[in-house]
């Protein structure tokens, strides 16, 4: 597997509240993470960095993941622990009151990918059949679209587009969306914050992700386009390309 992570402050904000990374454990398995923090002066970066650091550190000591069920359980437990840690921190530290973060995380193995998310940071899969959004936004406008009250086109311009229904670290008991999907050689996984998806259509994302570019070049072009179109938000993405199996992964 081959991967690339990139985060950018954007053109307007004076600091970056996004975080994330690509992390490989001792069993040569990959964890991709994108987190988009929010709330309070600099508290957003505290929440997103706490989520990323916890997942990174926890992943280093993870046992070999051999099944989707095991991957789903690992992500559920890790993200529930992060949620309580961020919540406790915001209670103890007044300057962090009300902070939270989205998170989308993907465990990538030779046989499958397991994705967990809270909020509106997304995961997409590009393969021979096209380009699919794997996650579903936990946002007000998405709920309005789901219930038929507005169209997807209306959602793009809705004044409450950025209102989230769920965020990590905002309440004690959060339901985490977790799922596992199959993937094959040459498939590409894209994880990203809304600073990217608010500026590019799915078709534009697919055109760059499927194009025979190096991952670094594709990532930089995606960020450049988002910035050229205003860059009002931080922009973060992780790309994982299944170019060849990890031979040492769990003996598979």
């Amino acid at each position: 597997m081959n991967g690339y992570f990139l985060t950018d402050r954007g053109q307007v904000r004076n600091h970056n509240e996004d975080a994330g990374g690509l992390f490989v454990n001792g069993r040569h398995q990959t964890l991709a993470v994108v987190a988009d923090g929010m709330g309070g002066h600099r508290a957003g970066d505290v929440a997103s960095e706490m989520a990323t650091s916890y997942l990174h550190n926890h992943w280093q000591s993870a046992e070999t993941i051999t099944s989707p069920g095991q991957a789903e359980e690992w992500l559920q437990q890790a993200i529930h622990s992060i949620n309580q840690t961020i919540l406790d921190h915001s209670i103890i530290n007044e300057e962090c009151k009300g902070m939270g973060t989205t998170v989308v995380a993907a465990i990538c193995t030779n046989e499958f990918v397991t994705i967990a998310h809270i909020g509106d940071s997304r995961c997409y899969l590009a393969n021979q059949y096209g380009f699919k959004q794997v996650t579903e936004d936990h946002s007000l406008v998405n709920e309005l679209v789901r219930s038929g009250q507005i169209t997807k086109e209306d959602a793009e311009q809705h004044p409450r587009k950025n209102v989230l229904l769920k965020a990590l670290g905002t309440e004690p008991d959060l339901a985490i969306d977790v799922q596992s999907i199959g993937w094959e050689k040459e498939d590409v996984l894209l994880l990203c914050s809304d600073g990217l998806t608010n500026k590019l259509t799915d078709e534009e994302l697919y055109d760059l992700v499927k194009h025979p570019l190096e991952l670094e070049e594709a990532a930089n072009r995606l960020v450049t386009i988002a910035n050229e179109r205003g860059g009002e938000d931080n922009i973060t993405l992780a790309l994982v390309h299944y170019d060849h199996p990890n031979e040492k992964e769990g003996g598979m």
Side-chain angles (χ1 to χ4, degrees):
M1 267 168 253
N2 184 24
Y4 191 78
F5 173 81
L6 181 63
T7 186
D8 188 89
R9 188 181 67 185
Q11 300 297 299
V12 175
R13 299 197 174 185
N14 59 16
H15 66 284
N16 193 345
E17 292 188 321
D18 287 0
L22 288 167
F23 311 116
V24 180
N25 64 14
R27 285 77 181 171
H28 302 275
Q29 293 179 312
T30 299
L31 174 69
V33 179
V34 167
D36 180 355
M38 66 205 77
H41 177 63
R42 293 192 64 82
D45 24 347
V46 173
S48 62
E49 183 57 38
M50 287 178 69
T52 300
S53 295
Y54 184 96
L55 283 167
H56 181 196
N57 293 333
H58 199 46
W59 185 242
Q60 298 312 303
S61 60
E63 297 295 326
T64 301
I65 301 292
T66 59
S67 69
Q70 186 182 3
E72 291 170 13
E73 182 179 3
W74 189 93
L75 283 169
Q76 285 273 10
Q77 291 179 350
I79 293 175
H80 276 299
S81 294
I82 297 165
N83 184 64
Q84 192 59 52
T85 299
I86 295 173
L87 188 58
D88 291 344
H89 188 87
S90 68
I91 293 170
I92 296 169
N93 298 274
E94 181 64 28
E95 70 276 12
C96 293
K97 185 177 180 180
M99 75 173 180
T101 185
T102 72
V103 68
V104 57
I107 293 174
C108 305
T109 77
N110 291 341
E111 306 297 330
F112 60 88
V113 177
T114 299
I115 306 113
H117 87 288
I118 289 177
D120 61 357
S121 294
R122 295 178 178 174
C123 177
Y124 293 88
L125 177 68
N127 60 20
Q128 61 179 320
Y129 305 108
F131 191 64
K132 177 185 178 182
Q133 182 180 331
V134 180
T135 56
E136 188 162 322
D137 295 352
H138 299 138
S139 65
L140 175 63
V141 293
N142 189 53
E143 194 57 37
L144 293 174
V145 171
R146 279 166 47 105
S147 62
Q149 297 180 59
I150 63 173
T151 66
K152 286 186 176 181
E153 291 72 24
D154 294 335
E156 292 301 316
Q157 306 300 325
H158 198 280
R160 302 188 70 190
K161 182 177 180 179
N162 294 326
V163 176
L164 295 181
L165 301 181
K166 290 184 186 180
L168 203 60
T170 59
E171 56 184 283
D173 298 310
L174 278 178
I176 304 163
D177 284 4
V178 184
Q179 59 181 305
S180 296
I181 60 174
W183 72 336
E184 300 175 349
K185 192 174 178 182
E186 301 308 331
D187 290 359
V188 178
L189 206 66
L190 167 66
L191 282 68
C192 58
S193 64
D194 65 345
L196 184 67
T197 53
N198 283 341
K199 293 300 181 181
L200 284 85
T201 65
D202 285 3
E203 291 76 16
E204 290 172 323
L205 293 174
Y206 184 35
D207 283 342
L208 281 171
V209 169
K210 75 174 182 180
H211 198 270
L213 300 172
E214 292 294 329
L215 293 185
E216 181 176 357
E217 183 180 354
N220 279 298
R221 288 178 66 173
L222 288 166
V223 169
T224 296
I225 293 170
N227 276 324
E228 287 175 347
R229 294 178 180 176
E232 293 89 356
D233 201 354
N234 310 139
I235 308 154
T236 301
L237 64 98
L239 289 166
V240 184
H241 178 209
Y242 192 170
D243 54 351
H244 60 81
N246 290 335
E247 293 179 0
K248 296 182 182 179
E249 181 188 295
M252 288 188 285

